[in-house]
Structures are given as structure tokens and as C-alpha cells.
């Protein structure tokens, strides 16, 4: 009996462990704010050139000492070099990476169809994503915590400044901006940033002393292992995640008197993140 219980415990632990992945250090960026640490996971599979330039800027120390200069309640926190005076070797305008071609092995995990803003929604590598079977295009979705490059009216004008979604999912930006990452850890510190007035200068905080500062930005791969957070991300095709999604569709908890229509808001179901115990 003791041997059977031991085997059961072992298999149970292995099954739980297989539900989680450890993000690659080369695709993690640590932002050290005055209030705490924020960890961003990058998405080179969707926006490889934006990821490449962002990593080069981080490695160069470009973001060190800059700030979040445009922060709009319920929308985004935009950071970078508002004045445009900081020198860098990596400020070339980037060609837009709003979408990518959907191949048979793209790893798209269908959640539902149709969605209000997309023919289909699902996950790619743990990121909320949309897909259009007719055009064979995929893209990442603007959920809270999404990280994308800011740009001017021209599609191919993004250079250094980026934003993080802090409020309701601004899905009208989907397929209009180059999404290249999402916040895995420390979103509360982004939410705590000083706000600008959306009705005055589009949310720009004119006084630099009143802005939230980026003390440093570092690639996790450049940090000693002892200084990295042991983050794990739940696989979106795991049994636990599927159970969570099924419960969301059915709303079978007796608390709910109106059971909905079986539809899900993908932004309400991000891949969960945890700190590993060991």
C-alpha cells in the first residue's frame, strides 16, 4: 500500500510539473522600476525584428534612466525616450510586424470562433492570439499586460518606445500594432505608475519628475542565475487550463444564476504564471 501511494504521489507530481514551462532566459527582460521588478516575456515567433531591436536596446542600456511618460488610465503605459535625444546604435525604423502567416505547424491552439474582433481566438506559445483562416494570418491580442512598440501614423515607424496595456483590452489595436511580448511578473508595479490626463496632451506627463522611472532594463540571460526569478508559465493545453476554460464556458458554479452563452473573453484567461518553489 505504501509503495502504491508513493508511486501515485510521484506520478501526480510529474503530471503537475509537465503542466508548466520555464521561459527561456534569452527571451525575458527585467525592468527595474522604483516600485519593484517587472518581467517581460518576448515573442520572437511573432515579431522577430522588434524583439531583436528591443533586446539590442536593452543590452545597450538604452532604457536605463528613462521613464513611462504617457500613462492613460484604462489604456496603456508608454515608456522610452520622449525627447528623442538619447543616442543609440539601434534606432532604425522597423518594418511593421502586425501579423504573420499561419502555417500548419504554427502551434495555434483554438479557443473559440468567432470572436468579436477576430474570426478565431486561441493561444500561441502561451500568448493570446487571433487567427483568420480566410487570409491565413495570425496575430497577438491586446490583453492587459501586452507589450507592443509605439509608432507614428506610418506603419513602419516604430523605433524604441514601447507600451504596456494596463486597462481594458483595447482590441481595436489588434493587427494595427506590432505586439512583441507580455508581462509575466510585476504587473502591479506597472499599474501603480503615475497617470497622465487623457484629455490633456493625450496622457503625456509633462513634468519629468512626476513620471515613473525605469531604473534599469536587463536581459535575464545577462543576469546571474541567483538573481533571476524562478518563473513558470502554465501550458495552455494542460489539463488544469482546459478545466478552467470548460468551467468558464459552462459557469456551472451555483453562484451563477445566468449561465452566459458559452463564449469566453480570451483576455480573462491568460496562461497562469507562478514562482517555482525550488
Amino acid at each position: 500500500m505504501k509503495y502504491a501511494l508513493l508511486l501515485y504521489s510521484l506520478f501526480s507530481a510529474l503530471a503537475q510539473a509537465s503542466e508548466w514551462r520555464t521561459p527561456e532566459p534569452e527571451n525575458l527582460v527585467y525592468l527595474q522600476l522604483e516600485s519593484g521588478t517587472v518581467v517581460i516575456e518576448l515573442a520572437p515567433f511573432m515579431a522577430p525584428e522588434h524583439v531583436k531591436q528591443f533586446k539590442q536596446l536593452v543590452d545597450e542600456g538604452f532604457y536605463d534612466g528613462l521613464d513611462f511618460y504617457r500613462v492613460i488610465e484604462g489604456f496603456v503605459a508608454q515608456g522610452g525616450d520622449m525627447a528623442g535625444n538619447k543616442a543609440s546604435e539601434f534606432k532604425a525604423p522597423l518594418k511593421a510586424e502586425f501579423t504573420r502567416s499561419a502555417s500548419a505547424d504554427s502551434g495555434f491552439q483554438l479557443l473559440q470562433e468567432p470572436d468579436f474582433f477576430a474570426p478565431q481566438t486561441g493561444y500561441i506559445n502561451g500568448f493570446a492570439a487571433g487567427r483568420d483562416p480566410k487570409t491565413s494570418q495570425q496575430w497577438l491580442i491586446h490583453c492587459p499586460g501586452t507589450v507592443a512598440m509605439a509608432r507614428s501614423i506610418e506603419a513602419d515607424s516604430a523605433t524604441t518606445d514601447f507600451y504596456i496595456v494596463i486597462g481594458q483590452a483595447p482590441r481595436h489595436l489588434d493587427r494595427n500594432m506590432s505586439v512583441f511580448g507580455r508581462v509575466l511578473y510585476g504587473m502591479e508595479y506597472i499599474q501603480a505608475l503615475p497617470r497622465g490626463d487623457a484629455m490633456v496632451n493625450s496622457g503625456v506627463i509633462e513634468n519629468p519628475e512626476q513620471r515613473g522611472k525605469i531604473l534599469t532594463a536587463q536581459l535575464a540571460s545577462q543576469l546571474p542565475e541567483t538573481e533571476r526569478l524562478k518563473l513558470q508559465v502554465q501550458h495552455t493545453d494542460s489539463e488544469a487550463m482546459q478545466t478552467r476554460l470548460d468551467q468558464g464556458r459552462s459557469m456551472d458554479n451555483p453562484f451563477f444564476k445566468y449561465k452566459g452563452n458559452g463564449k469566453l473573453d480570451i483576455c480573462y484567461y491568460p496562461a497562469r504564471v507562478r514562482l517555482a518553489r525550488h
Side-chain angles (χ1 to χ4, degrees), residues 33-255:
L33 308 187
E34 295 171 299
S35 53
T37 302
V38 176
V39 182
I40 296 170
E41 181 177 22
L42 304 176
F45 59 89
M46 183 60 65
E49 293 306 312
H50 283 72
V51 167
K52 178 182 177 181
Q53 184 149 306
F54 187 71
K55 289 169 71 172
Q56 289 171 326
L57 289 161
V58 168
D59 194 44
E60 181 188 48
F62 177 80
Y63 296 107
D64 297 357
L66 296 181
D67 47 39
F68 285 92
Y69 59 83
R70 178 176 179 252
V71 185
I72 300 175
E73 178 65 32
F75 187 40
V76 301
Q78 185 168 320
D81 181 21
M82 179 183 169
N85 295 328
K86 193 165 185 178
S88 171
E89 296 181 33
F90 310 104
K91 298 179 75 171
L94 291 157
K95 185 173 177 58
E97 294 178 301
F98 299 158
T99 66
R100 73 168 189 179
S101 297
S103 60
D105 59 350
S106 65
F108 184 89
Q109 178 190 336
L110 180 65
L111 178 68
Q112 70 179 13
E113 57 182 338
D115 173 84
F116 187 64
F117 280 96
Q120 297 176 330
T121 53
Y123 302 98
I124 303 175
N125 297 335
F127 288 73
R131 181 172 69 177
D132 186 344
K134 291 184 178 179
T135 62
S136 296
Q137 292 294 301
Q138 299 174 335
W139 57 93
L140 297 185
I141 287 174
H142 279 76
C143 294
T146 290
V147 183
M149 277 292 188
R151 63 172 176 86
S152 68
I153 194 171
E154 299 299 330
D156 302 334
S157 59
T159 56
T160 63
D161 291 10
F162 65 96
Y163 63 85
I164 300 174
V165 176
I166 61 173
Q168 298 94 336
R171 296 284 305 280
H172 60 286
L173 295 179
D174 292 355
R175 289 184 275 183
N176 281 301
M177 308 298 289
S178 298
V179 176
F180 67 92
R182 73 180 184 110
V183 173
L184 289 186
Y185 179 88
M187 193 63 194
E188 64 269 29
Y189 305 123
I190 297 296
Q191 291 287 8
L193 289 168
R195 287 345 190 224
D197 187 341
M199 303 301 292
V200 179
N201 202 16
S202 193
V204 170
I205 303 169
E206 293 291 353
N207 186 347
E209 298 303 316
Q210 296 177 351
R211 300 172 186 165
K213 309 298 180 186
I214 302 172
L215 302 180
T216 61
Q218 296 173 283
L219 297 170
S221 56
Q222 299 299 315
L223 290 171
E225 192 168 351
T226 54
E227 296 182 19
R228 301 177 198 165
L229 295 170
K230 298 185 183 300
L231 295 173
Q232 293 182 322
V233 182
Q234 191 172 45
H235 287 294
T236 52
D237 60 355
S238 66
E239 182 177 347
M241 182 68 170
Q242 293 308 304
T243 298
R244 181 177 162 216
L245 295 172
D246 289 343
Q247 290 173 341
R249 289 189 181 95
S250 65
M251 298 177 68
D252 58 0
N253 189 302
F255 173 84

